[in-house]
């Protein structure tokens, strides 16, 4: 069987450079060698946005356009919408029997999110169990690899626990375990120097930002609070400008030279930021060109996603026939 890749993201807003470094770069690369499925995880997005379905609907288009602009090629990658595959919801329900509430509460990603969202004693059940739904996303396609950011590693771990439990209990091998593919630079700091780029933190550079916006954001980036005079030695470690150069500048020798110069003193923030701006513009220009083309015809994008969803569903349906079989639910065969 071909090695299938399944990945995806929640459509909660436009994609930024952190998404690119953490996942999208791998998706663009891996579509050349693998059978890849990219899910727009609208059902998962609703677990913490159930009051705002219109917003999620809107961002399904935003995200689909971002994928196409960044170079996800629908002739190589199947782009589809999670809610268009109701079999995933069915499989989730079966998996829920194999998972304890305590195990879900220990899932580090869920634990962090629950703390951030300040649910207190009122954790919505749907939110708590979204890792189980994600296990269904992955396994219904019998995915071998899941290219994601490092924050998703606990999801893969939990998925594989479910796979082992299912195969053992129902004495089968229909489900397969998956492996995460994490990029060399797993996380990009925000423009403010915070550890992570995040929409709610307001420290993002978006793939859809025009030149003047990128310029403003780069020129006001955090660097090193103690680097006051050009002649002062500056800190490279923890300086987001260097983190971005590491991620996006193809000329590694030049980056090494700039780091040395900066650490030694004599390299000003403005010169450094202008270099980063050039690098980012080179990266973003082809993305903008493709975006301009695709955004002319939004219905065509939705058509592509519909075709992708039909294809994805045919695979999911096949897996569910097997699942129903081993679970003694194939009454009318
Ligand atoms: N949890 C992922 C996110 O927050 C989205 C996601 C849903 C996903 N299902 C998936 C990622 C399956 C990889 C595989 O972005």
């Amino acid at each position: 069987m071909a090695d299938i890749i399944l990945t995806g993201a929640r459509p909660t807003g436009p994609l930024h450079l952190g998404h690119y470094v953490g996942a999208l770069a791998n998706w663009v690369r891996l579509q050349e060698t693998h059978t890849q499925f990219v899910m727009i995880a609208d059902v998962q997005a609703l677990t913490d946005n159930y009051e705002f379905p219109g917003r999620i609907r809107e961002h399904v288009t935003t995200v689909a356009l971002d994928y196409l602009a960044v170079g996800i090629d629908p002739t190589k990658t199947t782009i589809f919408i999670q809610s268009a595959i109701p079999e995933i919801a069915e499989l989730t329900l079966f998996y829920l029997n194999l998972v304890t509430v305590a195990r879900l509460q220990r899932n580090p990603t869920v634990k962090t999110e629950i703390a951030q969202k300040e649910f207190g004693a009122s954790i919505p059940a749907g939110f708590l169990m979204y890792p189980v739904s994600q296990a269904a996303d992955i396994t219904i396609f019998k995915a071998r690899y899941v290219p994601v950011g490092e924050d998703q590693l606990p999801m893969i771990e939990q998925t594989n626990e479910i796979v082992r439990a299912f195969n053992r209990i129902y004495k089968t091998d229909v489900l397969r375990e998956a492996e995460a593919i994490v990029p060399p630079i797993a996380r990009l700091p925000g423009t403010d120097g915070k550890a992570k780029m995040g929409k709610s933190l307001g420290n993002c550079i978006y793939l859809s930002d025009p030149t003047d916006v990128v310029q403003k954001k780069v020129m006001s980036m955090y660097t090193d609070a103690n680097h006051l005079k050009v002649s002062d030695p500056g800190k490279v470690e923890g300086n987001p400008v260097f983190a971005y150069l590491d991620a996006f500048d193809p000329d590694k020798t030049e980056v090494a030279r700039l780091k040395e110069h900066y650490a030694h003193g004599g390299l000003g923030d403005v010169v450094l930021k202008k270099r980063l701006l050039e690098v980012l513009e080179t990266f973003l220009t082809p993305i903008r060109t493709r975006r301009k083309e695709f955004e002319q015809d939004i219905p065509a994008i939705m058509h592509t996603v519909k075709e992708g969803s039909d294809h994805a569903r045919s695979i999911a349906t096949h897996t569910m026939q097997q699942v129903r079989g081993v679970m003694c639910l194939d009454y009318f065969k």
Side-chain angles (χ1 to χ4, degrees):
M1 198 184 10
D3 279 339
I4 287 181
I5 290 186
L6 181 289
T7 189
R10 302 178 201 176
T12 50
L15 302 176
H16 52 64
L17 298 183
H19 292 121
Y20 182 82
V21 169
L24 291 168
N26 270 337
W27 305 359
V28 172
R29 185 173 61 84
L30 290 165
Q31 68 182 346
E32 303 301 333
T33 46
H34 290 75
T35 305
Q36 180 167 262
F37 291 78
V38 170
M39 163 187 288
I40 302 177
D42 61 340
V43 176
Q44 188 176 110
L46 284 168
T47 62
D48 60 341
N49 287 277
Y50 56 86
E51 296 160 286
F52 315 108
R55 197 182 297 171
I56 299 306
R57 169 64 188 87
E58 187 191 322
H59 289 313
V60 166
T61 314
T62 312
V63 163
L65 182 55
D66 271 334
Y67 287 163
L68 295 168
V70 87
I72 305 285
D73 177 348
T75 68
K76 295 172 181 164
T77 295
T78 302
I79 305 175
F80 70 101
I81 300 180
Q82 186 183 20
S83 65
I85 324 289
E87 288 76 14
I88 293 173
E90 182 189 0
L91 186 57
T92 302
L93 209 49
F94 297 154
Y95 284 173
L96 280 169
N97 296 322
L98 313 178
V99 177
T100 66
V101 172
R103 174 64 182 89
L104 285 165
Q105 284 170 327
R106 274 201 308 274
N107 181 307
T109 310
V110 175
K111 211 169 157 174
T112 312
E113 284 175 301
I114 285 174
Q116 280 166 355
K117 292 175 198 300
E118 298 176 349
F119 286 133
S122 311
I123 307 167
F127 187 80
L128 184 65
M129 70 93 196
Y130 91 73
V132 181
S133 155
Q134 189 159 336
D137 297 341
I138 295 167
T139 53
I140 209 162
F141 296 99
K142 303 191 181 182
R144 168 99 176 78
Y145 297 114
V146 186
V148 279
E150 60 172 3
D151 63 312
Q152 295 293 304
L153 291 178
M155 299 297 161
I156 316 292
E157 197 180 314
Q158 185 146 29
T159 297
N160 289 337
E161 284 175 26
I162 292 170
V163 168
R164 289 192 290 269
F166 186 97
N167 283 348
R168 174 172 48 80
I169 292 165
Y170 301 113
K171 298 180 181 53
T172 178
D173 58 0
V174 299
L175 301 185
R176 84 180 293 180
E177 290 187 48
E179 218 178 287
I181 299 180
V182 180
I185 302 175
R187 120 172 349 184
L188 203 65
T191 50
D192 55 0
K194 284 213 181 92
K196 209 177 162 181
M197 192 176 273
K199 186 167 61 101
S200 55
L201 302 169
N203 60 5
C204 304
I205 295 174
Y206 293 100
L207 296 173
S208 48
D209 278 345
T211 302
D212 59 324
V213 173
V214 176
Q215 184 166 3
K216 246 215 245 54
K217 288 180 178 175
V218 168
M219 292 324 269
S220 58
M221 263 175 88
Y222 175 84
T223 55
D224 167 6
N226 296 316
H227 190 230
L228 299 175
K229 281 188 287 183
V230 173
S231 54
D232 289 341
K235 249 171 67 185
V236 169
E237 198 79 4
N239 186 329
V241 180
F242 281 109
Y244 293 12
L245 285 174
D246 281 335
F248 291 98
D249 194 336
D251 189 347
K252 301 297 167 213
T253 324
E254 177 62 7
V255 176
R257 203 190 60 77
L258 288 168
K259 283 181 181 171
E260 213 182 282
H261 193 178
Y262 195 79
H264 181 265
L267 176 59
D269 281 356
V270 173
V271 174
L272 186 65
K273 286 173 171 178
K274 283 197 169 144
R275 163 82 194 177
L276 175 61
L277 199 56
E278 243 172 69
V279 165
L280 288 183
E281 283 296 298
T282 305
F283 169 72
L284 290 169
T285 300
I287 297 175
R288 289 184 189 129
T289 309
R290 275 191 298 264
R291 177 184 305 278
K292 255 215 188 94
E293 236 168 79
F294 282 113
E295 93 198 328
Q296 311 263 323
D297 195 352
I298 301 293
I301 295 179
M302 290 319 286
H303 180 74
T304 300
V305 174
K306 159 87 166 79
E307 287 196 323
S309 301
D310 288 345
H311 173 53
R313 190 167 187 197
S314 70
I315 293 165
T317 308
H318 179 72
T319 304
M320 282 318 285
Q321 270 165 6
Q322 297 177 314
V323 164
R324 286 174 151 262
V326 299
M327 291 184 73
C328 306
L329 297 166
D330 50 348
Y331 302 107
F332 312 120
K333 62 175 177 212

